[in-house]
Amino acid sequence: MSENQMLVLNRADLESLGLTWTEIVDVLDDAFKQKARGLVQNPPKPKVTSREDSFIHAMPAYLGGSDRIGLKWVAGYEQNNAKGLPYIYGVMIMNDAETGRPIALLDGGWITEMRTPGVSGVTMRHVPGDPRHLAIVGCGLQGHRHLEVALDVHPGLTHVTAYDRNEGRALEMLALGGDRITRAASSPTDAVTGADLVITTITVPLDPKLDCGNTDPNALLLPVDYDDAMAQKAFDDAVVYCVDDLGQYGSVADSVYFFGLPKPDTHLAAVVAGEYDVPVTGRRMFLNMGIAMDDVALSSLVLDRATAAGTGRYIEFP
């Protein structure tokens, strides 16, 4: 690659690399270890909006341990569903850490799609317990991906229940459960009954929300959708409330999101680094907002793999 070339990788290029969930979770796990060592710069992401029920975030980060730097410009538009368009669009720009020169442009939608469940996979690795019953509320793209990563991290899962406003989507997702016992639930509350691993991935807030009092008493709760699905009581009653980044959380808590929720007890990097012992019993609440560090870590893995495989195409830039 010459000094005025940029590698461009679209969704097909990224999918062709065949990354496994273990590889994705590994690289994200390492990023949280770097963060625990103070080697990561990850400022809170600013947000702009052009329509109701939409957001566009700018997400820069630098991983000092692996010397990787980049930025994701990502949009989420709820109204796209009615137009037959993806909820998430995005681009990922990777820079040379030595000179700042842009070296790669990646499909940020795919990066978001994969790093989000990947971080949930990191969480599952480090929360004690061996869950048997997985419940997923919201069976869109993130529901599917979270089912995949949950089965990869916890192959001993024997039961999967799911709920979606569109029952057909729930049934389609449950088909990925293999020989496990699966069931499409009649309601969100029904879905989480007795579950010891609960994942919510909705895009429209529930009413009423889930208090999670009917889950297994030692359940791991993963609200990928922030507090759209889980009620205040679920957060208040948890024996630990962990977020992926205290700075990002604090920048929006009680002003944009998370009104009235308790102050987090810890953050995911401390858990991954063994600096915080997650209780073995009681409901454990882990809210991962999604931070730029995740995108840079996964994009670095992708860039290395694509370069080695000769995948993608180069454009003259700048």
Side-chain angles (χ1 to χ4, degrees):
M1 179 174 62
S2 69
E3 292 185 358
N4 65 334
Q5 286 189 318
M6 175 189 285
L7 179 61
V8 178
L9 297 165
N10 63 19
R11 172 173 286 268
D13 297 325
L14 299 174
E15 290 176 343
S16 74
L17 298 175
L19 295 181
T20 67
W21 282 117
T22 298
E23 291 173 316
I24 292 171
V25 174
D26 280 349
V27 76
L28 294 171
D29 194 282
D30 177 70
F32 280 99
K33 289 174 181 173
Q34 292 186 47
K35 188 173 186 289
R37 292 160 54 201
L39 300 176
V40 171
Q41 298 175 40
N42 195 118
K45 53 191 174 187
K47 170 186 175 181
V48 294
T49 62
S50 62
R51 298 291 186 274
E52 290 187 17
D53 298 324
S54 72
F55 67 82
I56 305 183
H57 287 152
M59 302 176 63
Y62 172 61
L63 278 67
S66 50
D67 200 27
R68 299 300 184 101
I69 192 167
L71 175 141
K72 187 174 74 173
W73 178 241
V74 61
Y77 278 63
E78 174 62 34
Q79 54 268 39
N80 282 359
N81 292 325
K83 300 175 182 178
L85 299 173
Y87 171 58
I88 293 289
Y89 282 111
V91 292
M92 185 77 199
I93 301 171
M94 295 295 289
N95 297 77
D96 178 75
E98 179 68 25
T99 66
R101 184 175 68 84
I103 56 175
L105 180 69
L106 292 72
D107 178 354
W110 185 90
I111 293 295
T112 303
E113 175 184 327
M114 304 303 285
R115 67 83 154 136
T116 303
V119 174
S120 294
V122 172
T123 303
M124 294 177 211
R125 273 189 182 179
H126 292 279
V127 173
D130 189 16
R132 290 290 183 265
H133 182 179
L134 166 65
I136 297 179
V137 176
C139 302
L141 180 59
Q142 279 300 317
H144 279 69
R145 291 304 195 191
H146 273 82
L147 175 58
E148 292 173 7
V149 77
L151 296 180
D152 188 84
V153 176
H154 290 304
L157 285 163
T158 58
H159 291 68
V160 181
T161 57
Y163 172 80
D164 193 273
R165 293 175 297 171
N166 181 335
E167 185 180 8
R169 289 205 305 183
L171 293 171
E172 179 185 355
M173 191 190 76
L174 288 170
L176 303 175
D179 59 358
R180 294 167 181 83
I181 298 171
T182 62
R183 182 174 67 88
S186 60
S187 69
T189 301
D190 176 37
V192 305
T193 299
D196 51 1
L197 175 56
V198 177
I199 302 172
T200 61
T201 65
I202 64 174
T203 58
V204 177
L206 289 181
D207 185 18
K209 296 182 180 181
L210 297 165
D211 66 17
C212 296
N214 62 329
T215 68
D216 185 277
N218 302 317
L220 167 59
L221 307 178
L222 285 170
V224 179
D225 44 35
Y226 291 15
D227 55 350
D228 278 350
M230 295 190 188
Q232 171 91 38
K233 187 174 183 353
F235 290 86
D236 289 341
D237 291 351
V239 296
V240 61
Y241 177 31
C242 177
V243 298
D244 51 353
D245 185 81
L246 294 172
Q248 177 65 47
Y249 187 87
S251 72
V252 296
D254 288 321
S255 61
V256 182
Y257 304 111
F258 316 130
F259 294 95
L261 295 188
K263 181 180 178 181
D265 298 294
T266 189
H267 59 107
L268 187 55
V271 172
V272 171
E275 298 169 359
Y276 182 92
D277 293 328
V278 178
V280 175
T281 59
R283 295 184 180 94
R284 285 73 53 86
M285 175 74 76
F286 278 71
L287 191 157
N288 298 316
M289 296 168 287
I291 54 178
M293 175 193 79
D294 309 330
D295 303 302
V296 173
L298 178 54
S299 296
S300 299
L301 173 63
V302 163
L303 186 54
D304 290 345
R305 189 67 58 85
T307 301
T311 302
R313 65 217 50 82
Y314 288 95
I315 61 172
E316 297 298 316
F317 186 88

